[in-house]
Amino acid sequence: MQASDQISILEQGKATNGSDFYSYRYLATEGFLPGYNFPRLPLYAFIPGEGKTGSFLQRARFLAISEFGPRSLIYHEGRAYRVMKAKLPPEVRTGDGAELATRDIFICSNCGACHDGEVERCHACNAPMADEKPVQRTLRIDNVEAAPVERITANDEERVRQGFDIQTVFSWPKQDGRIQIIEAEFRCDDASILTLQYANSAEISRINKGLKRRANQTVFGFYIDPRSGYWAKSNDEDPEVDVPPDVIKPVRIVPIVRDRKNALLLRFSNPSAFAPETIATVQHAIMRGIEVIFQLEEGEILGEPLPSRDNRRSVLAYEATEGGAGVLSRLVEDQLALGKVAREALRLMHFENVDEAIAKGDSTLLHSRDGEACVRGCYRCLLSYFNQPDHEMIDRTSDEAKQMLIDLARGQVVLAVAPDVASADGAWAAAFKAVGLPPPDTSTISISGHEMSFAWRSHFVAASVAPIDKAVRGDAEAKGWTLFDLSKVESGVPDALMSMFREMA
């Protein structure tokens, strides 16, 4: 009966942009189309009706991984419902249906990058991955079903209060075997503070490892019936309530959701030198500064500590809204943008003498403004609904945090040069720098099989030290690219290349 009810709800929709089940929206969700015009599908929970048609509750994927987690409680229209089962598509079942097509993932303990298989080194930070233990048997969850609950025990309320252990990981996009990122370094007084990596459409995943209060913290996941999708009960639930139908031998899986977002990774050069509270404070100060400088609503840009909340070495900032606000790329491309963000963050933190302290590089010159009723943090400076788990760690009075923000306000971003450019074509890179041209991106482009030695993606300009034939040049022009042939240039930089950049500037 419930299945028939769900089919009738689906058939009520029309194939329009506003429909939740629009075909193009599904393709955007799966990564086949950009999500700018076709919003991605959320995760659905089916709520059965009492003598009437049921309904679908929808949440964004990153929120639903915990709110619609296994055996969690949902409150809807004055009633409580328990998430009883996951809707498993037929393709995830293997053999006779007693197993599921799960996959293991490897997470870098240095930066939090995700890898689908065993690799020697991390694709994001180049750290060795030989000793990393995989998170086994992950399975993507798309939709769930709930059942009404007659009574809720004290154990149920305690499970809801404790919540789930959620970990966020990321993976940079690749094309032709190359990572598609813009990499830069943030320097102050010739000292490196941060390494920045930005990518369009990075794959960000959230993993539900289990209850926070589970007895064995090294065991991840939940038991599920591979045929019906029913979640097995935890040991602390009342055995007389919500008894599911007979199931075959349950299997353990780790629920995971994925989405593609524009993302910026900020890796601290020496994270072990700072207390976790310092990194947490700086993280949320940067997020608040971005909101003010770029005039964003709270929650449009979100940040996650990586590789975990207990081991803060990096911050992953991503554009949470559909289509993205387009500001994270500016933090890498504009040398002074991050400095402006840090300066504004210090002002938000109720400090006086901000300009003088930045000019002298001395955080001791910062003083709290008179009459500000804020001790370690408040909702007018660093606290918000989105960073509640970190409220106890945020401390705007931290000397380390203030000095780091001062250094960020004084420094600037320096774009990195790709390794192959730095070695084989180092002379050309030096020539570009000598005449004031912006440095090439970290990754080159391939047009009709021709590898371009240098690429300025933001300007759609590329140059090659190998001869360029007419076919390649024609394909490039059709795609909006301007190509320069450096094979016959004996010294210097072509005047046409220099004049083009001057016009663009």
Side-chain angles (χ1 to χ4, degrees):
M1 291 174 62
Q2 288 185 9
S4 299
D5 195 8
Q6 293 180 42
I7 291 174
S8 64
I9 294 175
L10 295 178
E11 290 177 343
Q12 290 173 7
K14 295 181 179 180
T16 63
N17 268 323
S19 171
D20 288 337
F21 303 97
Y22 189 37
S23 300
Y24 286 129
R25 188 177 185 185
Y26 170 77
L27 293 174
T29 299
E30 298 301 318
F32 291 101
L33 292 173
Y36 300 100
N37 295 321
F38 309 108
R40 293 176 175 86
L41 287 170
L43 197 150
Y44 289 90
F46 176 72
I47 304 295
E50 292 290 329
K52 60 178 182 179
T53 303
S55 59
F56 283 108
L57 297 183
Q58 52 180 287
R59 295 289 186 273
R61 294 181 176 196
F62 289 172
L63 178 62
I65 188 67
S66 57
E67 190 168 334
F68 294 164
R71 308 286 300 175
S72 61
L73 293 174
I74 302 173
Y75 295 95
H76 177 65
E77 294 183 351
R79 289 211 58 181
Y81 299 86
R82 188 187 303 282
V83 176
M84 297 290 292
K85 62 179 290 189
K87 296 177 70 65
L88 301 176
E91 61 267 19
V92 304
R93 297 183 177 89
T94 60
D96 60 352
E99 262 298 338
L100 297 174
T102 61
R103 68 175 183 175
D104 299 347
I105 61 174
F106 293 78
I107 301 173
C108 175
S109 59
N110 182 56
C111 69
C114 177
H115 306 78
D116 288 334
E118 292 189 58
V119 293
E120 292 183 3
R121 290 190 171 272
C122 172
H123 75 279
C125 67
N126 204 36
M129 295 278 295
D131 297 329
E132 299 293 350
K133 302 295 183 183
V135 176
Q136 297 178 326
R137 301 183 61 80
T138 66
L139 183 68
R140 194 178 87 173
I141 301 297
D142 288 323
N143 299 303
V144 299
E145 289 187 19
V149 178
E150 298 300 329
R151 62 190 180 93
I152 300 173
T153 66
N155 280 335
D156 289 328
E157 293 290 358
E158 180 67 11
R159 291 173 73 251
V160 171
R161 189 182 71 82
Q162 291 287 341
F164 296 103
D165 180 9
I166 307 294
Q167 183 176 2
T168 301
V169 295
F170 71 95
S171 179
W172 293 139
K174 291 184 179 181
Q175 184 176 356
D176 298 328
R178 291 195 174 196
I179 301 173
Q180 303 297 303
I181 62 172
I182 301 174
E183 191 165 9
E185 197 174 29
F186 192 93
R187 304 185 68 85
C188 178
D189 295 336
D190 295 328
S192 175
I193 301 177
L194 296 171
T195 298
L196 292 84
Q197 292 179 326
Y198 171 80
N200 292 316
S201 299
E203 184 178 81
I204 303 178
S205 306
R206 272 195 174 162
I207 308 164
N208 190 340
K209 291 185 170 182
L211 294 173
K212 286 184 179 178
R213 66 170 191 171
R214 63 187 184 276
N216 190 344
Q217 294 291 318
T218 62
V219 176
F220 303 146
F222 305 85
Y223 281 105
I224 190 172
D225 176 6
R227 291 182 179 172
S228 66
Y230 275 92
W231 297 109
K233 288 188 176 185
S234 61
N235 294 329
D236 58 356
E237 286 187 72
D238 189 338
E240 302 300 324
V241 181
D242 285 343
V243 178
D246 293 336
V247 299
I248 65 171
K249 184 179 179 181
V251 297
R252 182 182 289 275
I253 65 165
V254 179
I256 187 172
V257 292
R258 294 185 175 89
D259 206 347
R260 293 190 177 273
K261 306 281 188 182
N262 297 339
L264 173 66
L265 181 69
L266 300 96
R267 294 204 325 265
F268 293 91
S269 299
N270 188 15
S272 57
F274 303 101
E277 291 78 10
T278 299
I279 295 179
T281 302
V282 171
Q283 169 190 333
H284 298 299
I286 291 175
M287 295 299 106
R288 289 285 288 123
I290 291 174
E291 292 171 5
V292 175
I293 290 294
F294 296 104
Q295 300 179 8
L296 302 177
E297 293 290 334
E298 194 174 50
E300 286 192 64
I301 300 290
L302 296 179
E304 292 279 351
L306 296 182
S308 65
R309 292 188 178 275
D310 299 328
N311 181 22
R312 296 171 183 258
R313 305 178 64 84
S314 309
V315 175
L316 180 70
Y318 62 91
E319 299 181 354
T321 53
E322 286 290 348
V327 303
L328 293 180
S329 60
R330 295 169 64 181
L331 295 178
V332 179
E333 295 167 353
D334 185 347
Q335 292 181 326
L336 304 178
L338 192 54
K340 295 176 184 177
V341 167
R343 184 186 297 266
E344 186 62 34
L346 288 169
R347 293 196 177 101
L348 284 171
M349 293 161 65
H350 316 299
F351 289 126
E352 294 181 322
N353 305 326
V354 172
D355 293 335
E356 181 184 356
I358 292 173
K360 296 183 178 179
D362 187 359
S363 63
T364 60
L365 298 176
L366 295 173
H367 301 290
S368 295
R369 289 192 291 266
D370 293 335
E372 296 289 350
C374 176
V375 183
R376 292 164 58 96
C378 67
Y379 279 88
R380 289 173 296 127
C381 59
L382 300 185
L383 305 189
S384 77
Y385 166 80
F386 295 94
N387 61 21
Q388 284 183 351
D390 289 344
H391 280 190
E392 293 183 0
M393 301 184 70
I394 294 174
D395 184 7
R396 72 177 185 90
T397 64
S398 165
D399 292 334
E400 281 187 342
K402 289 191 291 185
Q403 187 60 52
M404 184 179 292
L405 290 170
I406 288 286
D407 292 340
L408 289 175
R410 294 171 59 230
Q412 65 179 16
V413 171
V414 179
L415 284 173
V417 179
D420 56 339
V421 173
S423 56
D425 303 319
W428 278 112
F432 296 146
K433 183 177 180 180
V435 297
L437 291 181
D441 294 343
T442 57
S443 55
T444 57
I445 63 168
S446 177
I447 299 178
S448 297
H450 186 98
E451 193 75 22
M452 307 302 296
S453 306
F454 308 97
W456 294 266
R457 292 176 179 273
S458 57
H459 299 289
F460 285 89
V461 175
S464 174
V465 296
I468 304 174
D469 58 37
K470 292 182 180 180
V472 172
R473 192 178 295 277
D475 289 345
E477 291 177 355
K479 295 177 181 178
W481 283 83
T482 300
L483 303 186
F484 289 89
D485 189 341
L486 305 179
S487 62
K488 298 180 181 179
V489 180
E490 296 180 358
S491 62
V493 176
D495 293 338
L497 183 56
M498 293 176 59
S499 61
M500 173 170 286
F501 276 107
R502 292 194 188 99
E503 291 175 6
M504 291 179 175

